[in-house]
Amino acid sequence: MALQLRVYVPPHPLIKHWLAVARDEATPSVLFRSAMTELGRWLTYEAIREWLPTVDTQVNTPLAPCPANFINPEVPLVIVPILRAGLSLLEGAQNLLPLASIYHIGLVRNEETLEASMYLNKFPAQFDSQTRVLITEPMLATGGTITTVMAELTQRGIDPAMVRIISVVTAPPALQKLNVAYPGLVIYAAAIDEGLNERGYIVPGLGDAGDRTFGT
Ligand code: URA
């Protein structure tokens, strides 16, 4: 059977709550940042459920030996925040995965052509092929930025099946593009919105995630 992109929208009241706070135009930047941190936390919690590798072992409780599972320390874990706005989800993700390495990548969108261009790439020449990658990207709109980042990762040995994306608001154009280019991908999002306006913004969306996070 052909692979298909999977997009999960967890029906969690905390995700719904913090999404509502983030969407509200009256939310000030300081509270918007808190909402994004919380969304980063809860979307990461959901996204790593069947992704984080564990090892079976045994511990001795004060009373008896007991089977136990630990997170496998030998599998490299990586978080990739896509600058700028992806930084807003990083703290929440990093709180749950404190041993993950963070590899930054920065892209900026041309407001007229809507094309993304890369201005920063801290990726190594090659990743270990076992590496699990969690990408933080709050807005999946046209799909230009995320497909560029996926290409940079796969060129360096990352298997798309090992990647999870957490995103706050997604839109059909980005999901369609990802489905064609990387059908094995899995996304955890707070919402799938209707579409984009003529400036490439998600509608209803939450506005410019970078500007609202950094108060610019
Ligand atoms: N980037 C944003 O910050 N917001 C959008 O709606 C689309 C892309």
Side-chain angles (χ1 to χ4, degrees):
M1 205 173 72
L3 281 174
Q4 237 197 329
L5 180 79
R6 280 171 289 161
V7 187
Y8 294 103
V9 180
H12 195 298
L14 286 170
I15 293 176
K16 290 181 187 174
H17 172 84
W18 290 114
L19 173 65
V21 172
R23 281 197 197 271
D24 189 345
E25 66 174 355
T27 297
S29 186
V30 63
L31 183 57
F32 185 86
R33 276 199 294 280
S34 298
M36 297 302 263
T37 298
E38 292 304 322
L39 287 163
R41 184 191 324 279
W42 298 114
L43 289 167
T44 300
Y45 176 82
E46 296 283 348
I48 66 180
R49 210 179 269 277
E50 274 137 30
W51 172 85
L52 204 54
T54 54
V55 278
D56 299 337
T57 182
Q58 182 174 289
V59 293
N60 295 316
T61 78
L63 300 178
C66 173
N69 298 107
F70 286 104
I71 292 165
N72 189 340
E74 281 166 21
V75 177
L77 294 179
V78 160
I79 304 176
V80 172
I82 306 179
L83 273 51
R84 241 184 347 160
L87 290 174
S88 64
L89 301 175
L90 177 62
E91 187 185 329
Q94 206 176 6
N95 282 344
L96 299 193
L97 300 171
L99 298 184
S101 305
I102 316 295
Y103 287 101
H104 296 85
I105 189 163
L107 286 99
V108 64
R109 195 164 69 155
N110 181 307
E111 293 295 332
E112 269 145 41
T113 63
L114 303 185
E115 295 292 319
S117 60
M118 193 162 62
Y119 60 87
L120 176 82
N121 185 341
K122 300 296 282 182
F123 293 174
Q126 194 68 23
F127 285 100
D128 180 308
S129 63
Q130 293 304 306
T131 305
R132 306 289 202 269
V133 179
L134 181 79
I135 301 176
T136 68
E137 166 60 295
M139 310 303 282
L140 291 175
T142 62
T145 296
I146 192 70
T147 46
T148 303
V149 172
M150 282 301 301
E152 294 293 323
L153 287 168
T154 53
Q155 277 161 28
R156 291 167 171 79
I158 294 296
D159 175 356
M162 298 289 142
V163 175
R164 294 283 181 274
I165 300 171
I166 59 164
S167 183
V168 177
V169 186
T170 62
L175 300 180
Q176 280 151 11
K177 200 178 267 184
L178 285 171
N179 189 35
V180 172
Y182 302 101
L185 259 182
V186 180
I187 299 172
Y188 280 76
I192 304 174
D193 275 6
E194 282 150 33
L196 308 181
N197 69 10
E198 64 291 345
R199 293 178 55 223
Y201 279 85
I202 300 177
V203 182
L206 50 74
D208 188 308
D211 281 350
R212 295 195 64 195
T213 298
F214 297 108
T216 47

